[in-house]
Amino acid sequence: MGTALTALFEDPQRAIDRLMGTHAGIVVDRAWAPRIGGYVLDLTLFPPPELDAAGYDEERARISVREHGEPLTFPLGPERRWKHRYPSPLGVGFGYICGQLCLWLPTDPRPLKWVPEDGLENYVDRVHRHLFLEEHWRRMGHWATEDAPHGAPTSNHLSNGSATDTFPITSRPLLRAVRMWEHHHRTHT
C-alpha cells in the first residue's frame, strides 16, 4: 500500500515529497486545496527512456482528489484526440465530469481498477502509463498493450461463465491474470 489519500489532506508536502521521491519522471508543478474541499495536483509526467528516445514529449495532468470518492484526472495541454476520455457532461452514463480520463470502468474486475487502498502512488502510476499509451495510440493507431475491456457488459466465451458476466475480457492471458490476482488476494487476505 502506498500513501493513503487522507495523508494528502493531513500533510500535503510530505505526501508530495514521497510521490516525487519514489517515482522517477513525475513532478508536482502545483498543489492546492480548493475552497470547495479536496486537493488538486498539477503534474508533469516525463516519458520513460525508450519513449523519450522515440521523441515523445512530457505529458501534463491535473488530479483532483476528493475527500470521499475516487480522484478525477484531466489531461492538460493542447486539444488532441483521446481513446479513453469521457466526452459528454454525463460521462457515458456514469455521471463523471466532462473531459475526465477513463482509467477504468466501475464494472471492471478489481485487478483492472484502482481503489483507495492502492494509494496515491499507484493512482499516479496509472495516470502516467495511461497518458503515454494515449500518445502511442495517436501516433500508431493502436493501443500499445492489451487494452482493458470497455463497453457494456457481455457474456465472455473464454470465462466459461454465463450471460451475467460483468466484463468482456476477450483474451486468455488477461483473463488468466485477473483470475490469478483474485485467487492470490482471496488466499492471502
Side-chain angles (χ1 to χ4, degrees), residues 158-189:
L158 294 177
S159 69
N160 297 322
S162 68
T164 61
D165 290 341
T166 58
F167 52 92
I169 294 175
T170 58
S171 77
R172 291 184 193 284
L174 184 57
L175 184 60
R176 189 172 25 257
V178 167
R179 287 184 174 157
M180 286 175 50
W181 186 94
E182 290 169 344
H183 174 74
H184 174 78
H185 282 79
R186 209 175 17 256
T187 58
H188 291 92
T189 53

Side-chain angles (χ1 to χ4, degrees), residues 14 17 40 44 52 81 92 103 133-134 150 163 171 175 180:
R14 184 174 181 190
D17 289 346
V40 178
T44 299
D52 185 47
R81 292 181 313 130
V92 192
L103 301 171
L133 287 170
E134 288 278 3
H150 286 78
S171 77
L175 184 60
M180 286 175 50

